[in-house]
Amino acid sequence: MTSHPFYLDCDTGIDDALALAYLLASPQADVQGIGTVSGNVSAAVGARNTLDLLQLAGHAHIPVALGAHDPLAGSFGGGAPWVHGENGIGEVALSASAVGLAAETAAEMLVRLAHQHPGTLRVLAIGPLSNIAEALRLEPELPRLVEEITIMGGAALAPGNITPVAEANIANDPEAAALVLSADWDITLVPLDVTMANVLEESHRQELLASSGPVPRALGEMLGYYFRFYEGIYGRPCSAMHDPLAAALAVGAVKPALAPVVRAAVDTSSGPGRGQTVCDMRGLYAGYPEVKGARCRVVLSLEEEFAPHLVDALLDFFEDGEGTTAALASAGSAA
Ligand code: RIB
Ligand code: CA
């Protein structure tokens, strides 16, 4: 199985933590570096969570770079503690990693990795797109150096989750998202249309909690907090699977059922549409014929249910495989 070099850009975040663990568990992904950005929490808190999670998972060697604290316009709004907890990981206390941050910014790390792996680096962006926009400014050739970019963000036909039309990652830095979506590359967009339709149930959470591995157990505890927020939306304890689903699509472990390639733009006005991903979905009426010049593959549905795959992948790796040994040897346990 081919393993692709990956750069992960995140705002860790409960579902970011799941995505990170999933990537570590994926034989198709070789995570070369991680950058953080303010979103669910500040970029600094997200970096701390990422370092601690990497240590718990026995992957403390993966470098973590601090990224943008503020969006391109305006300033960081304070995150989403009502969704992810004050510490971003559902108030779960992880052992503090002794590893420090990389001596480069997240955008610099992305540019460096793109030059080290020309044509093969895959980028997975699961937070606001501030760092990716900055990397495009630093290296205008980035679209030709990167093999693929997958973005969790936006809403194509579905409503938003932070305004009636805007999804959080895009709404937290619309100017950056507009730059990234209009750059000269093909994008896979994983919007709310598909992430809200793929939920993790309480039975899945119990499977994680029952694991002998500290990583699945910590994720199960974090999900308890996340489920309480999503219970207000779905009416039962469960949650959407935004970021891990984007990770699974980026590594190619799950396949889209419907993913039209369309033109997509971001509303950067100051009106009620600010942060909306304006995806041209008119092809719906004609079965989505090919559109000349369209670059954005918008994942609308999957071939198979995602949650069982996610849980199996995490349990297989962190209970039976390399992850268990590494995690137990290096990490201690989650509180
Ligand atoms: O809207 C969902 C996205 O916003 C996810 O990436 C979540 O972690 C937050 O960043
Ligand atoms: Ca995220």
Side-chain angles (χ1 to χ4, degrees):
M1 186 177 290
T2 313
S3 182
H4 306 275
F6 263 85
Y7 166 80
L8 173 67
D9 201 89
C10 54
D11 57 337
T12 320
I14 295 170
D15 60 326
D16 301 78
L18 279 151
L20 171 57
Y22 176 86
L23 274 192
L24 298 179
S26 298
Q28 305 97 324
D30 175 11
V31 183
Q32 295 279 318
I34 302 174
T36 64
V37 61
S38 294
N40 296 321
V41 286
S42 70
V45 172
R48 168 49 51 205
N49 291 340
T50 305
L51 287 166
D52 296 349
L53 280 160
L54 286 172
Q55 175 178 265
L56 187 67
H59 285 70
H61 60 280
I62 296 175
V64 177
L66 187 62
H69 177 75
D70 292 318
L72 297 192
S75 50
F76 172 51
W82 61 94
V83 185
H84 297 268
E86 288 293 338
N87 73 351
I89 48 173
E91 312 308 355
V92 171
L94 300 177
S95 300
S97 172
V99 177
L101 289 165
E104 58 189 348
T105 67
E108 289 166 351
M109 173 183 274
L110 169 51
V111 170
R112 176 177 59 77
L113 290 174
H115 280 284
Q116 279 176 1
H117 305 277
T120 60
L121 185 71
R122 293 190 176 187
V123 175
L124 173 61
I126 54 177
L129 295 168
S130 324
N131 295 333
I132 314 298
E134 171 63 6
L136 284 167
R137 191 189 67 76
L138 291 176
E139 177 49 278
E141 286 301 305
L142 192 66
R144 273 161 291 288
L145 292 167
V146 159
E147 184 191 33
E148 284 184 20
I149 177 164
T150 301
I151 297 168
M152 190 282 127
L157 295 165
N161 64 355
I162 200 154
T163 78
V165 296
E167 180 277 333
N169 286 342
I170 306 299
N172 281 328
D173 196 342
E175 280 72 19
L179 286 171
V180 173
L181 262 66
S182 63
D184 186 19
W185 50 14
D186 296 324
I187 292 172
T188 294
L189 195 69
V190 185
L192 295 176
D193 306 65
V194 67
T195 65
M196 290 296 288
N198 281 274
V199 295
L200 200 77
E201 301 287 352
E202 178 62 19
S203 58
H204 299 123
R205 191 176 87 85
Q206 290 302 328
E207 284 186 68
L208 295 174
L209 286 172
S211 169
S212 60
V215 174
R217 282 205 312 275
L219 294 172
E221 287 178 31
M222 292 175 204
L223 282 165
Y225 197 101
Y226 207 47
F227 276 27
R228 283 193 281 283
F229 168 76
Y230 276 103
E231 193 164 357
I233 294 169
Y234 292 104
R236 65 183 192 280
C238 65
S239 74
M241 285 288 89
H242 309 294
D243 293 347
L245 176 51
L249 286 158
V251 304
V254 299
K255 302 281 180 227
L258 185 58
V261 181
V262 305
R263 295 177 190 273
V266 178
D267 187 334
T268 55
S269 73
S270 55
R274 182 169 171 76
Q276 180 176 14
T277 43
V278 183
C279 300
D280 185 352
M281 307 309 283
R282 289 173 293 179
L284 168 72
Y285 303 118
Y288 291 113
E290 195 178 330
V291 177
K292 216 169 166 217
R295 306 291 295 268
C296 193
R297 183 173 75 128
V298 180
V299 180
L300 295 175
S301 61
L302 303 180
E303 280 182 356
E304 286 178 17
E305 204 189 335
F306 174 57
H309 165 72
L310 172 64
V311 172
D312 287 352
L314 293 173
L315 292 179
D316 282 354
F317 185 72
F318 289 108
E319 204 165 64
D320 304 327
E322 180 196 339
T324 307
T325 321
L328 290 174
S330 70
S333 64

